[in-house]
Amino acid sequence: NATTGKPTQYITNVVGGRLPNSDSAQVFKFDISPDGQHLVGVGNFLTVDFLSRPRAFMLDLGPTTATLSSWNYEPLGLSCSSTRRNAIAYVQDVDFAPDSSYFALAAFGYMYQSGQRFFQICDSVSRFETNNLDPTQPTWINYTGGDSLKSVAVTGAAVYVQGHSRWLDNPF
């Protein structure tokens, strides 16, 4: 409850399944679209409401309850090239555009798997349109060339990222 801070039954979705080398399924970050219609969450889970939603999901926010959207990006089920334990849960942050038309994801995990360039979002920032519920690839991906991105902020004019990247626009 936004006024009292007491728990409600508004969001009852079950986040489950854990990635290898993860202690438990967790939502690391989430953002609510400025129009109040959607919530996107990211973390180290595999399922939401027992449906496959590895690393990211979208909820539709109604007047009395939140329901799982059919939005799903299947390449999120693939691991990045890094073998480090913490790189398994590579999607780190999400932020919606001010007009709610898209959201951006920040990720680490080293490089994408062979043949997955333009699909897998390892060590990149990527854009997804809110109304495209079955994307075959992001609208765009800006790779770092192997450096981690930890957070993202979207404004009307730009998409800002933070991490330990040396450069962007570097797919190699």
Side-chain angles (χ1 to χ4, degrees), residues 24-36:
S24 62
Q26 300 172 347
V27 174
F28 297 152
K29 300 278 180 90
F30 67 88
D31 194 29
I32 296 173
S33 60
D35 65 8

Side-chain angles (χ1 to χ4, degrees), residues 102-169:
Y102 72 93
F103 57 92
L105 300 177
F108 69 102
Y110 193 54
M111 300 295 287
Y112 44 82
Q113 296 286 344
S114 177
Q116 293 299 313
R117 183 174 170 204
F118 302 122
F119 299 100
Q120 207 170 12
I121 65 168
C122 308
D123 279 348
S124 73
V125 60
S126 54
R127 173 180 168 157
F128 292 90
E129 306 306 310
T130 305
N131 65 356
N132 184 356
L133 301 180
D134 191 23
T136 56
Q137 66 186 87
T139 305
W140 52 255
I141 303 174
N142 194 325
Y143 288 110
T144 66
D147 293 323
S148 300
L149 297 179
K150 297 289 190 165
S151 62
V152 60
V154 180
T155 70
V159 175
Y160 296 94
V161 292
Q162 174 276 329
H164 67 81
S165 57
R166 292 167 282 179
W167 48 72
L168 288 170
D169 295 322

